Amino acid sequence: MKITKPISLRPLLVSASVDFLSQEEMDCLTTQEGLPELISQLLYYKEEGKSLYPEIYIFDEIEIIKKALTNSQFCHIGKGDKNKDTMLKALKKCAPLTENGWAIYIVRKPAEFEYGVFRAGTSILSVSVSEALIDGGSDEIKAILVHQIAEKLIEVKGVKADSLLISYGGLTSSKNSPIDNQKKFIGTIVKNVKSELQEPVTNFFSKVFLEVLQKGHGTLACVINSTKKEIPKKLEDGIVLGQRINIPEIIEELLDKKDLQANSKLEGQFSLIIGMMQSDGITVFTNKGEVISYNVFVKHPEKLINTKTTGGARSRTYLALCEIIGNGIESAYIQSQDGKIEYKDGK
């Protein structure tokens, strides 16, 4: 007689949560029980049929967090017993509020959880909460981030511990978050941007690329040298913009004027570039923070035409781009629909 053998991911997630919290010096029996539940709930999280990508931060001292953030805003929503049900309630009650940079917080008190939403900064150029608390966090900050960074891909990050990357799809095991490759590619886009503008321009493009990633759309991109007046011949088959979209120039105008018109102009370009990256083909940037063309197609070398790749035509196009690095382009980027990201430059 055949017997059904149940398989549960929960024991694995609980074990990983215990180790993670220990490394973060944030040991807590309730938190280690609640983390796997939050991870499971974030998969395909929707409200009223709309997919949401809420960031959930867990910390102990709200005043320390406020000091670490610039222009922070906090909105207390509720509190409850210190158990996993309250953690899930925080997600349910707060997730619909996480538009325009708002994130969920859960504060661990001795006998209860308090929860609400918060954000830092007021513009598209502001340093993200993740950058301020986690990536650039100090040892005195006890904070954990749980979020879905792409379809079927959940990340748990802290200040000290190695991040947890939980894949429910076809993403192969990796020590690094796909966001790491994304950051490296953005680094090639801002390479020749004026030093005083590099941070805000990087913040802008980070939000553009994250938005495309979370929309679950595959994309291809490459970077050429800004000194090239003409687009390389191998990238001619596409829509070349009549005037390059110069993001550093628009940002400099915004920082100088600080008016609604300049801010509206930047937000308009934000939406426009996302639309370009969601189109078929390649989006072409320069290493001075400009967009030069999109919907670009390249011919595949003979040796790549019959190459079997897991991503099909998009992956073969990426390989074709990699072939011409140093001969027309400086770096290449591919993002698949399952959140896998690859990047290559001339180094």
Side-chain angles (χ1 to χ4, degrees):
M1 179 179 177
K2 291 184 178 180
I3 300 174
T4 300
K5 184 179 180 180
I7 299 175
S8 174
L9 290 176
R10 181 174 171 76
L12 182 61
L13 290 177
V14 170
S15 175
S17 297
V18 171
D19 291 341
F20 178 84
L21 289 168
S22 177
Q23 291 180 53
E24 284 296 316
E25 298 179 4
M26 292 181 67
D27 303 85
C28 169
L29 182 60
T30 305
T31 308
Q32 72 188 37
E33 290 179 347
L35 267 181
E37 299 293 337
L38 286 176
I39 290 167
S40 298
Q41 288 292 313
L42 283 174
L43 191 68
Y44 300 121
Y45 195 84
K46 292 184 178 182
E47 288 286 350
E48 301 295 331
K50 180 182 179 181
S51 295
L52 299 176
Y53 290 84
E55 292 187 343
I56 306 170
Y57 290 85
I58 302 169
F59 41 77
D60 297 330
E61 296 289 341
I62 198 167
E63 292 305 319
I64 292 178
I65 300 301
K66 288 180 177 179
K67 288 179 181 178
L69 299 175
T70 302
N71 297 323
S72 62
Q73 296 171 273
F74 282 73
C75 180
H76 173 79
I77 300 298
K79 61 182 179 179
D81 294 336
K82 196 171 184 179
N83 56 42
K84 65 180 181 183
D85 291 334
T86 301
M87 297 177 77
L88 296 178
K89 186 177 181 180
L91 172 61
K92 178 71 175 176
K93 296 295 183 182
C94 299
L97 309 178
T98 55
E99 296 281 346
N100 299 317
W102 289 92
I104 300 169
Y105 72 81
I106 299 174
V107 181
R108 307 189 307 180
K109 299 289 186 177
E112 64 181 8
F113 284 132
E114 291 183 0
Y115 57 87
V117 292
F118 73 120
R119 70 172 184 164
T122 56
S123 81
I124 204 169
L125 304 180
S126 302
V127 174
S128 69
V129 173
S130 174
E131 287 281 348
L133 293 184
I134 306 297
D135 299 327
S138 63
D139 288 345
E140 70 172 352
I141 295 177
K142 306 290 185 183
I144 296 170
L145 165 62
V146 188
H147 65 148
Q148 182 177 218
I149 57 175
E151 184 179 347
K152 303 179 184 179
L153 190 63
I154 311 293
E155 183 180 46
V156 182
K157 296 177 69 177
V159 178
K160 298 177 182 178
D162 294 333
S163 299
L164 302 180
L165 202 60
I166 303 100
S167 173
Y168 291 86
L171 191 69
T172 55
S173 298
S174 173
K175 292 182 178 180
N176 300 317
S177 165
I179 301 295
D180 292 342
N181 280 337
Q182 196 177 83
K183 288 179 179 178
K184 290 176 182 176
F185 181 71
I186 292 170
T188 67
I189 295 176
V190 304
K191 180 181 176 182
N192 287 345
V193 172
K194 290 190 292 187
S195 58
E196 63 269 25
L197 293 175
Q198 279 206 350
E199 183 178 298
V201 174
T202 297
N203 291 341
F204 174 87
F205 280 116
S206 294
K207 290 175 182 177
V208 166
F209 276 73
L210 183 59
E211 182 82 6
V212 174
L213 177 61
Q214 291 185 337
K215 285 182 180 292
H217 198 289
T219 194
L220 285 160
C222 68
V223 173
I224 67 171
N225 195 299
S226 62
T227 58
K228 292 182 180 295
K229 300 301 180 184
E230 303 290 336
I231 195 165
K233 289 189 178 296
K234 292 182 179 179
L235 301 175
E236 285 182 335
D237 184 11
I239 300 174
V240 180
L241 301 178
Q243 182 176 351
R244 298 181 181 189
I245 300 175
N246 190 323
I247 295 301
E249 187 177 86
I250 298 171
I251 288 175
E252 190 169 34
E253 178 185 351
L254 173 58
L255 295 175
D256 180 47
K257 294 184 177 179
K258 295 182 175 65
D259 62 10
L260 290 175
Q261 184 177 350
N263 188 64
S264 177
K265 184 177 179 181
L266 184 62
E267 288 183 348
Q269 299 300 344
F270 180 83
S271 300
L272 191 61
I273 295 170
I274 289 171
M276 291 176 179
M277 294 185 69
Q278 290 182 302
S279 302
D280 291 336
I282 306 156
T283 305
V284 182
F285 298 86
T286 75
N287 59 7
K288 208 170 181 179
E290 304 163 311
V291 183
I292 190 170
S293 62
Y294 74 102
N295 196 218
V296 174
F297 295 88
V298 295
K299 290 184 178 180
H300 296 171
E302 192 69 32
K303 66 179 181 179
L304 294 179
I305 292 176
N306 297 317
T307 300
K308 292 182 179 180
T309 63
T310 55
R314 183 178 287 126
S315 291
R316 284 192 290 274
T317 299
Y318 172 70
L319 293 175
L321 285 174
C322 290
E323 289 281 320
I324 57 175
I325 289 176
N327 186 26
I329 70 171
E330 299 200 344
S331 62
Y333 175 91
I334 182 173
Q335 172 189 300
S336 62
Q337 288 177 300
D338 64 1
K340 182 179 179 181
I341 294 174
E342 292 183 49
Y343 145 85
K344 186 175 181 181
D345 61 18
K347 295 179 182 178

